[in-house]
Amino acid sequence: MEKISVDFRSFAQVTKEFIKALGQKRTYSLFENAYCIFGILWGIPVPIVTIGIHLYSARLLLNLPNIMRIMLHEPFYFFFLLHPVFFGIVFGAMGTVRYNKQQKIEELDKQKSNFLSMVSHELRTPLTTVAGYVSFLLTEKPGVLNQTQKESLKIAAETADLLNHLIEELLDLSKIERGEFRVNLAHVDMAKVVHKAVTALRLYADSHEIGLECDLPHDLPLVWADKERILQVMTNLLENAVKFSRIGGKITIAASVDRQNSKVVFCVSDTGIGIPPDKRDRIFDKFYQADSSENRKYGGCGLGLAISKSIIELHRGKIWIESEEGIGSKFFFELLHATVHL
Ligand code: ADP
């Protein structure tokens, strides 16, 4: 049989937090602490029910003189009358404990964010130097390189690129968490953005023998967007589409105009591995990866989609996914038509 034990340490901790909260002004403030109001409402039925039962059993009418008579006759009922106050204080203290915990979490989050930002900045400086020297050597100005040296330096340059990308993502995340992530919206021709993203990803897709196609309407209207940030979203979706596709797969970028809601919906679809239904809701969470096994095949750190979601939301849009395991995925995002007044 399972042994039932009382966790005295956490009980002592809760008592300590509760007593501390009793000494805080917030516990008694109806305006700052909704828990306090909730407690009072919770306590109101206590005197009503107890006095009501007394009146009913004494066959007396429920009116003020009778209530006063009972109270004077049996002052014990004042104790019941004070219940809304007791409940208000107890619930209020619980609200304060919760508030204190929340404050602590926010403080820790802030420290973590600052730390993340500081470390990323510190990493970026030496990395830029390393990448600079590697590309300088690759120009062969300091001396002619043999094939092995060239290959090795190319690998070093690619690794530096990957690291730089990761640092950029960490910096973006820390900005998002501190509420400092901004977009500058202007009228943008998305056909140009898509073209830029496709050009940047073409080599990567070719190396995996994956077809990359655009299926944009000729009369694609301008949208409200931050050109650089929306290019980041498009590149991220395309990179993922290539990364999670099999050799010989196909990726299509399409768009449709929703005139009724003044929106343009973009879709990046692939014929890749797809995402199981129970993981679809979580892929936009930071650091979440559908394949979290120790021998993960795919790189990355699970930040791209979380950042893309924040970017699209700053554009007052939505991002969502439709996917079938083993068949492929479709990532949609919508942007406002440039005719909308912001
Ligand atoms: P990363 O790609 O660095 O892991 P993302 O935030 O871009 O991080 O993606 C989170 C997770 O969502 C990925 O690890 C993968 O499991 C899943 N995912 C994203 N795009 C696709 C896709 N096109 N096909 C299948 N799974 C995907």
Side-chain angles (χ1 to χ4, degrees), residues 232-241 268 305 319 331 333:
Q232 185 179 348
V233 173
M234 196 48 97
T235 312
N236 177 240
L237 294 182
L238 285 178
E239 241 169 33
N240 278 348
V268 175
L305 287 179
I319 184 166
F331 282 83
F333 66 88

Side-chain angles (χ1 to χ4, degrees), residues 58-101:
R59 302 263 181 271
L60 290 171
L61 279 179
L62 180 69
N63 55 29
L64 198 60
N66 281 342
I67 292 175
M68 293 305 290
R69 204 166 304 137
I70 296 177
M71 305 289 269
L72 292 175
H73 208 243
E74 299 199 40
F76 181 66
Y77 277 100
F78 276 108
F79 175 71
F80 289 118
L81 207 63
L82 285 175
H83 261 69
V85 179
F86 294 152
F87 275 65
I89 293 172
V90 171
F91 277 70
M94 272 149 59
T96 307
V97 169
R98 189 173 181 277
Y99 174 80
N100 291 344
K101 282 230 160 91

Side-chain angles (χ1 to χ4, degrees), residues 310-330:
S310 298
I311 293 176
I312 296 296
E313 283 172 355
L314 284 170
H315 281 75
R316 306 187 195 179
K318 239 176 33 188
I319 184 166
W320 69 99
I321 178 192
E322 284 173 10
S323 182
E324 222 173 306
E325 220 179 332
I327 306 282
S329 310
K330 284 183 179 175

